[in-house]
Amino acid sequence: MRKEKILVAGAGIAGLGAALALSGETRDVVFVDRDPPPPDTSPEEAFTHWERRGATQLRHSHAFLGRLTSLIRDRYPDLMRELLAEGTRLFGFAEGLPPNLEKKYVAEPSDADLTLLFSRRTTLELVIRRYAAKLPGITFVTDAGVRGLLTRKENGRIVVEGLKVERNGAVEDMHADIVIDATGRNTVFPDWFRAEGAVVREEASPCGILYFTRHYRLRDGQDEPPRDGVPGGGDLGYIKFGVFIADNRHFSVTLATPEIETEMRMAVMKPKIFDAVCMALPGAARWMNPERAEPVSAVYSMGSLENVWRHYLKDGEPQALNFFPLGDAAVRTNPLYGRGCSSGFVEAHILRATLDATPDPVERAKLYERDFEKAIRPYFDSMVTLDLQAIRRAKNERDPHYKPRLRARIVKSFTEDGLMPAQRAHVSVSRAMSRVFHMLDEPTAFLKRPAIVSRILATWALPKAVKQKRDYYPPKMGPERSEMFARLNLAS
């Protein structure tokens, strides 16, 4: 049988997921990448010198969740070995439990899936790119820009037949049976389809934050701080923070400021202010102690963050055939939740299953849309809701006269005095919440389990003094807004 030829625009995380999923003897898959090939060098050199104009978030913090880690572990064990050999690390569920739960912990087989992969994104991409280049049926065309679509019309639908690609100053037509858009959050494919008469509908909702990241390295002879229950991330309303452990003794800290916090977001772009904010947050300060670690990068910023879901089907019918969006080109989410990379890999394997299931272009479009929606939609909706709540909270933080209504007080109490303490009181609750975090269960799955809900409610009912005595509350994450602004000499 003739091999199916596939063109993939973009070779970032989602594109590399497609390389793994679609490789084999039955397809020829060509990746058209605007950036130069990865350097033949170490992870350290790649972080410093690998230029990726097409991946603006390349040097921001990343969380590689259990959904992604277990997929690589189970389907690509050789790749996992290569990743670990280059200094990436696995971090299991038991390692992240607070001290008061360590003695209560009894392992379950499914805990193996609750494993983070600690790595800088540059290291992850470098290793996967090298691995993918050796797979059968995979070719990378670098320093090439996609300039348009090759299409024809059939029965009122757009049939995609390839891409217009610019290389060495000349534009050529590259024909294919399938075209995949993995060009990321700034994709121009929707505009090209609209110019062809398609209606590409977008659901858009603000993330409400700006992102700031700086990287650090542990000094020689220094170890990571002890895991004693101090949270390495949290939300103070006026700012969010997270410590992201990476490969080869590196880690990064990300500060996310609400868009309305103009003074704060302007200030944290300066390295000294960024570090000063982090040193006021116990969960970050213990990592960044100058005796323990040193900065190895500038402060990277990222804005224009939106949650976006793009629909290429209209009234349940495909408008374009032989075309599939992947990763951020299909669905953009707040990077705060760390689900983008895992989603991209999951979508790539959904696409493989779709192409294997049927050769019919119409059925392929419908099947991909159905399975994509089933796998990703619950998380998207949850993130949209959480972002809108965070936007309201940030606004309220600035209002000295704000008084929450009864419902808001109840929700706050349930979260802060029930749900969060229950995670530190019961291994089962912590495990259930971890399964949601790692994209193994849907966001509300734990609330459908009576045993978990009863433990949360029982913890909520305990007197606060009892919970404090039993160490069910984490240490305070950081100063109040007014105190932080005073420390930084900012107008509040």
Side-chain angles (χ1 to χ4, degrees):
M1 294 179 63
R2 184 180 69 86
K3 288 186 177 181
E4 197 167 40
K5 184 172 182 180
I6 299 177
L7 279 177
V8 183
I13 286 290
L16 293 175
L20 299 182
L22 299 174
S23 65
E25 303 298 336
T26 61
R27 297 181 176 94
D28 285 326
V29 189
V30 178
F31 291 81
V32 181
D33 190 13
R34 64 180 290 186
D35 295 321
D40 185 16
T41 184
S42 68
E44 298 306 310
E45 290 293 316
F47 179 79
T48 305
H49 300 298
W50 191 9
E51 291 300 325
R52 293 288 312 284
R53 294 169 297 160
T56 55
Q57 65 273 48
L58 183 70
R59 289 178 174 83
H60 282 275
S61 301
H62 279 74
F64 302 111
L65 306 179
R67 186 74 178 266
L68 171 60
T69 304
S70 57
L71 189 155
I72 294 174
R73 178 200 66 203
D74 296 341
R75 300 195 185 202
Y76 313 101
D78 290 343
L79 171 58
M80 180 60 78
R81 283 189 285 271
E82 290 185 23
L83 285 165
L84 297 176
E86 288 290 356
T88 68
R89 291 168 49 196
L90 297 175
F91 184 81
F93 171 66
E95 297 172 86
L97 289 172
N100 59 306
L101 286 184
E102 290 177 354
K103 293 182 179 180
K104 301 179 182 179
Y105 174 66
V106 177
E108 292 187 359
S110 62
D111 289 350
D113 295 335
L114 306 177
T115 300
L116 288 162
L117 178 67
F118 286 158
S119 176
R120 287 169 291 183
R121 175 162 166 174
T122 49
T123 302
L124 186 82
E125 284 204 28
L126 179 71
V127 177
I128 297 181
R129 179 73 170 263
R130 289 175 178 172
Y131 178 86
K134 297 180 289 186
L135 295 173
I138 300 299
T139 303
F140 289 94
V141 177
T142 56
D143 293 303
V146 178
R147 298 293 178 252
L149 292 163
L150 300 177
T151 65
R152 61 182 171 85
K153 293 289 182 67
E154 184 178 289
N155 298 325
R157 291 189 171 105
I158 301 166
V159 180
V160 179
E161 297 185 318
L163 295 171
K164 299 176 182 178
V165 177
E166 182 177 359
R167 287 194 287 176
N168 301 318
V171 177
E172 61 180 292
D173 291 347
M174 296 182 69
H175 292 270
D177 301 302
I178 300 290
V179 168
I180 297 171
D181 177 14
T183 57
R185 66 190 188 120
N186 294 319
T187 177
V188 294
F189 276 74
D191 292 334
W192 290 338
F193 278 107
R194 291 182 182 114
E196 296 270 357
V199 178
V200 183
R201 183 170 62 88
E202 295 184 352
E203 297 176 63
S205 178
C207 295
I209 62 170
L210 291 93
Y211 235 56
F212 303 91
T213 297
R214 197 177 194 195
H215 290 259
Y216 304 83
R217 186 182 187 279
L218 295 171
R219 296 184 184 275
D220 292 342
Q222 292 293 319
D223 295 325
E224 296 175 357
R227 306 195 184 285
D228 54 8
V230 177
D235 183 359
L236 283 77
Y238 65 93
I239 197 166
K240 301 175 177 67
F241 79 97
V243 177
F244 294 79
I245 308 171
D247 58 283
N248 296 295
R249 297 176 60 78
H250 285 263
F251 66 93
S252 61
V253 179
T254 288
L255 301 177
T257 66
E259 291 178 340
I260 62 173
E261 289 286 5
T262 306
E263 299 85 358
M264 177 66 77
R265 64 184 175 89
M266 294 295 291
V268 297
M269 296 178 66
K270 303 172 183 177
K272 287 185 177 180
I273 300 295
F274 185 97
D275 287 357
V277 171
C278 293
M279 291 303 293
L281 307 170
R286 61 211 306 263
W287 283 86
M288 293 176 49
N289 184 323
E291 295 181 0
R292 187 188 298 274
E294 61 182 338
V296 293
S297 80
V299 176
Y300 301 109
S301 61
M302 183 167 62
S304 301
L305 301 177
E306 276 191 309
N307 298 296
V308 179
W309 189 294
R310 296 187 175 93
H311 296 270
Y312 284 91
L313 270 64
K314 182 181 179 182
D315 299 326
E317 292 295 324
Q319 302 173 90
L321 302 181
N322 304 329
F323 169 79
F324 301 93
L326 201 62
D328 283 357
V331 176
R332 286 172 54 184
T333 57
N334 189 339
L336 175 72
Y337 306 103
R339 288 169 171 162
C341 294
S342 297
S343 295
F345 264 62
V346 169
E347 294 156 21
H349 287 78
I350 290 173
L351 179 56
R352 168 62 187 264
T354 297
L355 299 183
D356 287 348
T358 175
D360 182 79
V362 175
E363 291 305 312
R364 281 178 165 181
K366 292 180 178 180
L367 182 59
Y368 181 66
E369 174 81 2
R370 185 198 71 188
D371 291 350
F372 187 116
E373 180 104 11
K374 181 179 178 182
I376 306 300
R377 189 76 203 200
Y379 303 101
F380 178 83
D381 290 344
S382 173
M383 288 182 278
V384 167
T385 299
L386 291 172
D387 285 344
L388 293 176
Q389 291 173 349
I391 290 170
R392 288 195 295 270
R393 181 183 175 190
K395 181 180 179 180
N396 295 335
E397 285 281 340
R398 295 170 61 90
D399 182 2
H401 304 295
Y402 169 71
K403 292 183 179 180
R405 295 181 179 179
L406 177 61
R407 184 177 184 277
R409 296 199 301 272
I410 293 173
V411 171
K412 184 173 185 289
S413 174
F414 175 77
T415 301
E416 296 181 358
D417 299 316
L419 182 60
M420 304 310 292
Q423 289 189 77
R424 296 172 66 90
H426 302 283
V427 173
S428 60
V429 177
S430 182
R431 180 181 287 117
M433 295 298 293
S434 291
R435 291 190 61 81
V436 172
F437 171 73
H438 285 284
M439 293 184 67
L440 300 171
D441 287 345
E442 293 186 3
T444 59
F446 70 99
L447 293 175
K448 300 174 185 177
R449 297 173 56 187
I452 299 300
V453 174
S454 65
R455 287 184 173 91
I456 295 171
L457 293 176
T459 305
W460 190 19
L462 287 173
K464 184 170 289 191
V466 172
K467 286 180 278 196
Q468 290 172 335
K469 184 177 180 180
R470 295 179 182 177
D471 198 27
Y472 289 174
Y473 289 105
K476 187 177 180 181
M477 287 185 291
E480 301 295 331
R481 182 177 182 275
S482 57
E483 181 183 345
M484 177 69 85
F485 274 64
R487 287 190 186 196
L488 303 175
N489 293 319
L490 297 177
S492 61

